[in-house]
Amino acid sequence: MFRGKQTRVLLLNNMEKLERTLFRLEQGFELQLRLGPTLQGKSVHVHINYPAPGKKFVSSSFHQLEWVNPSGREDDSDKYCKLDLEIAGSYQYYFGNEERTGGGYIVVDPVLRIGHERKILPLDCITVQTYLAKCLGPLDEWLDRLRVAKETGYNMIHFTPLQKLGASRSCYSIADQLELNPDFSSPGKNYTWMDVGNLTEKLKKEWSMLCITDVVYNHTAANSKWIRLHPECGYNLVNSPYLKPAWLLDRALWHFSCAVADGKYSDSGLPPIIENDKRITVSLEGLLWTDVFSQLKLWEFLQVNVEKHVEQFRKVLQAGECFNNGPKSIQECCDWFKMSLEELNAECYKEMHSHHEKGISCIVGTVCYERLASHGPQLGPVTRTNPLVTRYFTFPFEDMTMEQDNQLMQNPNDACHLLAHNGWVMADDPLRNFADPGCNVYLRRELVCWGDGVKLRYGDKPEDCPYLWAHMKKYTEITAKHFSGVRLDNCHSTPLHVAEYMLAVARQHRPDLYVVAELFTGSEELDNIFMTRLGITSLIREAMSAGDSHEEGRLVYRFGGEPVGSFVQPNLRPLVPSVAHAMFLDVTHDNKCPIQVRSVFDALASTAIVSMACCASGSTRGYDELVPQQISVVKEERLYPKWNPDALPSSVGEVNLQTGIMAGKLALNKLHQELAEKGFTQVYVDQLDEDTVAVTRHCPSTHQSVLTVSRTAFKNLETHQYRAHLAPMYIPGKIEEVILEAHTAERKAESYVKDERFINGMPNYTVEIREHIQLKDSEIVKQGDAITEGRSEFVEEIFFEKLTPGSVIAFRVSLDPNSQKMVGYLRTQLSQFNRLYKSGSLIDSNVPGILMSKLTLAEMNVLLFLCDAEEQEDGGGCYNIPSWMPLKYGGLQGFVSVLSEIRPKNDLGHPFCDNLRQGDWMIDYVSSRLMNKGGALREVGKWFSAVFIYLKHIPRYLVPCYFDAIIVGAYATAVDAVFNQMSSFVQNGSTLVKQLALGSVQMCGVGRIPALPPLSPELEDVPVRLNSVTKQEEQCCISLAAGLPHFSTGIFRCWGRDTFIALRGLMLLTGRYLEARNIILAFAGTMRRGLIPNLLSQGVAARYNCRDAVWWWLQCIQDYCNIVPNGTDILMCPVSRMYPTDDSEAQPLGTVNDQPLYVVIQEAMQRHMQGVEFRERNAGPQIDHNMRDEGFNVEAKVNPETGFVYGGNRFNCGTWMDKMGESDKAHNRGVPATPRDGSAVEIVGLCKSAVRWLMTMNENGNFPYSSVTIHGDGTEQSVSYKEWNQRIQENFERFFYVSDDPADPNEQHPELVHKKCIYKDSYGASSLWSDYQLRPNFTIAMVVAPELFTVQRAWEALEIVEKKLLGPLGMKTLDPDDLVYCGIYDNGLDNDNYNYAKGFNYHQGPEWLWPVGYFLRAKLYFAKKMGQEKYNKSMYLVKNVLSRLYTHLERSPWKGLPELTNENGQYCPFSCETQAWSIATVLEALYDL
């Protein structure tokens, strides 16, 4: 199956330390590390200890990765460094600049190979069987015993340690790590590690079986000869003197135990035979206090000799010269010192008393468990062999008295051989070494002690204990040389740094080392520390931990696989935290015998459940043979039986497929491996009843399934009444065969007798199994009816007739023939988007191709977007999921936004998926919506309709994943087609640029009724269409929606100001020149009194109540001329004037002579210099029910002294900050919150930009006018553009700059200054204080007319804006220090608060996004003038802000940037979810980069 290059992306964020997060990757993957929002713009270096090409791995050797930036400019959204992962292991990365600010680990899985052909063995294919090495006998007999694993279908053997064992004969108590167990050499032979290596190599190549073994790093056998020669390798009383109190206590307990064994305490209630009597525990507690703990006086180890130290202190004082008051003063000091020491001693006594209390509690608990508990070992009477408690320390001397023990402890030559045993501490921190100082585990008797092993003391590095590190390194090298993998014994109590070092050594010898471990940390987070640091491949998981079949089924679901019907994930996707790969075992040697805990009949059923897990699986030798007792790693000395296909049940030393459940295990192991090899990666677990579990494994490429039904038998059949009848089962699809059906059956044979020589199982039980039979031939189930539900659900009914407890049946299920055909056709269509779907595809010549390239960008607006209001305008609406919510768009983006949230999590239970499974409503919506549009959209709709026919005829559980593939494939194709029609800036831009550029398609559309007035008939290349009602041809120019969803349709769609603030970013920079031209000319045709409309309303009902829209329009014409090739040609384009005079009604197209655009531009400039003053037409509540009468008076003029445009009054708001009060309760109705009358700073800047441009254009011969003329009182006065430009230049900083000099002669109202070193928001406002409010508007003037600003002053002002106004996404619209600042906008709130009611604070604090673009552009412009250091810092700021916007854009289902947020970036429900100018100005900032 084609998979393609797999790439995973890891985002790096500041101070994000992921050492406890597991990231698993496969060899061949590419890892990309990208900067997250908190780091974009910073100078970040990434280091990793993954070996550089040609180098060997050294954990402490890190190298720096190089950054790759595909777009080569703009922002950091696409910048990454990468690793091609080819070497297995654990690798640490960190990042930062001068210091580390984050990091973590990645784990690369090994690739395992078997056979002469070196065939890959996938990790999920593994079926492992554990053997106690000591039970295999001489090495020359191993093949006969190991053949049992081969013949029962295992492909991996796990050996317990093969080294020479210690005196206890425990498999994990190793006497010499370098010596092969001499028991493996038969008489006359002396086998070596080379012989073992030859054996493992033979198994690997000839049997296709890998061999792994344990490594034990944390202890050695107490009788190891080398520990006697090198006692420094353990924790002894010389190198660990803090253990002396614990050692004395251990000896005292030994003497006490001997006394109990001798019956000396029988009269005190503590006889040698401890029976279940509560009085025993009381007696034991009392005797421990009186005869052990109190006698030892261990608190004295912590205390000081008070008298001795006081005398020393006195002598020091007497010898000194600091005391002049004589002996009395010295005595007072000594008394104080004595009192302090006594207090410290008292604290030490309390501390030791606490240890004693805990110690007694632990001792009593241990005795009760070992001697009395029914589930304990029931050790019997107290003897010297079985003492009252296990000794914690070695004692390689003859027994002696307590007094002699004390003397022994003082002699270093003897004390160095008094070594601490190893063990484990219940609920302890696995990262803590319990033998280190301060732990007190040995003193408090908290250790569950292994008396046959010595805990090893490595120190922090090899230099701390050279012999031990060298010895264990050799041990590791031997193991890695001969075995394909290791199991880390007691991984959770092995020092991490030791295991890291040793595994690095092992991987030098075997790079693809398979590492398995058992972790008992009790925490997935702690597990991950070991997984990531050590590069553990698989964690052992135990089916015996399940108390019932429901829990056993849950473990199958938890330990691997995806849900059935999962979405296909893209090859390039985020790297998400992983769950540790599992090795799921039906039993381990640590578990109690399943036959004793459950029943003999459960063995087959439970192992079938385990085998169906999508992970490694396995067992322990003896389980399959039905050995009815736990095979002890310590006490078991018998041999495993050999393989003999002809053996009889009575033959205890031989086994074959008739033994126990071995025939069933063979079939299940083969099935497990087949499922992993053939990609059955999806899992579904169904609990049919309290004992019956159905597990489905599904292959997403072939849609074949394997379903097993296992009826467990956790309870004894003789004592438990199982359900007599099971409900029928309905299996979707066509049952091809019964792969196997089996049950455990009793047979005539002798009853079980434990053999003395061989580990034998129960001969009177076997498995009756039938494989690869037809459903009609089954003895367990009966076939019912085949049912077709709807047109796509083909279901087979199954009746369980003989699924007795302990039975298993497995079905192979395929799609029914019709569904198979439909899926094949579907996959053919999808293969044009993704080669993955080539597998299983079928050709259907009746389906048309998907022709996205023929769609215009206006048609793409329909295909991809249209919010609910836009859909309703056309008689429809966005698709609504009844149990959830409507989608954001009717177009593909509405579906993609939801799917992008569901897909990574495989959230198949989402209402969206439910809706798809329940019916075809969503499917039909997509196709019929486009079919109804006509034109090229109808052709795309036909493709969807044809493809959806297939989708409707496949099983419903597959519909969500295939619907996703169709929608996402079509969407990606459409988006590519969009970018192909855009500018090189977009085509070659970063991901952020491209996503923002989609805002151009999102906002620009035609609608049912075109929003723009008609253009001149003389104009070329004007788009037309056939009106569906009049059947006449009509112009269909796109218009630009101000924002979605509130400003998307009708009269509120198109606004002059919003259009021209957004036009440069959304249309000119994206290359939509013709459409931009049409919009500019359409608004030009509506000019009246030198103004263009605020609210366009197709021109016929326009409102001319804003002072700034015309200046933004002029700025866009300037931008058009500068950006578009031959852009100045627009000045000659004909404009059809809708209003030939100020007071005329709107005239039909063609009734008024056209004017070239340059004439209309001159009119705007001329009228402003002359002075615009009028009352709005139809003034009154019919056009605005909130405005007061004075507000309808419009004024826009030029101050002849300064050249500044000014106007407005305190009852209207002619700039973008246009909130009019609406509340009667708060008495603010008809009062603008921000009138900004006078000269608004951004309008002055825009005017300066226009005047400067026209002056230059005239000088270059591109504009015929050099001046404007003022008429008045019969006179005529001309003002040249050069003169006007100069007046603004000379006066701007004089009247707008707020100096920090109190004596500044230009400052007429120093008492109103609130912030210094800024630029005023306006000049000459009717409310003088409002001029001095800090707002973000002067940054706009800095961008359009930077020449107005002194560089140093501009920089200081920008620094203040950054500090005070910049929010996470937008700019605060008012200084937070201002008395009327309020950052929460709530248009629905109506109360008596004048400043807040009915959203009065719309522009008094909420953080608007569009000014951010201008702030960033201004910052970059002036930073370049301030030098490289300032520029670098500004670049970081700009990229950091852009990264936050990018994060919002990616997460937003609207795929846009909002109009505004509440304070500190909080979501505002009253904001437009996506706003044209917000997107446009950010694109402009990216363009400047």
Side-chain angles (χ1 to χ4, degrees), residues 42 299 410 436 511 518 794 924 1044 1048 1102 1303 1373 1420-1421 1447:
K42 279 188 175 180
W299 53 82
Q410 307 305 326
D436 276 349
E518 241 175 340
F794 185 88
D924 289 336
L1044 310 180
S1048 57
T1373 37
L1420 280 174
Y1421 178 87
T1447 301

Side-chain angles (χ1 to χ4, degrees), residues 385-397:
T385 307
N386 275 327
L388 188 70
V389 286
T390 304
R391 292 204 260 191
Y392 276 13
F393 294 85
T394 62
F395 194 78
F397 304 100

Side-chain angles (χ1 to χ4, degrees), residues 237-262:
L237 301 192
V238 176
N239 63 23
S240 308
Y242 52 86
L243 291 174
K244 286 180 178 180
W247 182 82
L248 274 179
L249 175 59
D250 195 55
R251 291 302 297 157
L253 289 170
W254 165 253
H255 292 298
F256 178 71
S257 178
C258 291
V260 172
D262 294 341

Side-chain angles (χ1 to χ4, degrees), residues 883-901:
S883 59
W884 192 49
M885 63 173 74
L887 303 185
K888 306 305 181 191
Y889 295 108
L892 297 183
Q893 183 66 64
F895 301 89
V896 168
S897 290
V898 181
L899 288 165
S900 64
E901 285 294 310

Side-chain angles (χ1 to χ4, degrees), residues 354-367:
S354 168
H355 295 329
H356 288 354
E357 285 182 325
K358 180 64 177 177
I360 289 171
S361 171
C362 289
I363 291 167
V364 172
T366 301
V367 170

Side-chain angles (χ1 to χ4, degrees), residues 1339 1358 1361-1362 1366 1371 1411-1419 1437:
T1339 63
L1358 284 168
V1361 167
E1362 180 184 336
L1366 182 62
M1371 302 292 291
V1412 154
Y1414 280 93
F1415 165 72
L1416 296 180
R1417 294 175 69 193
K1419 189 82 173 173
L1437 169 74

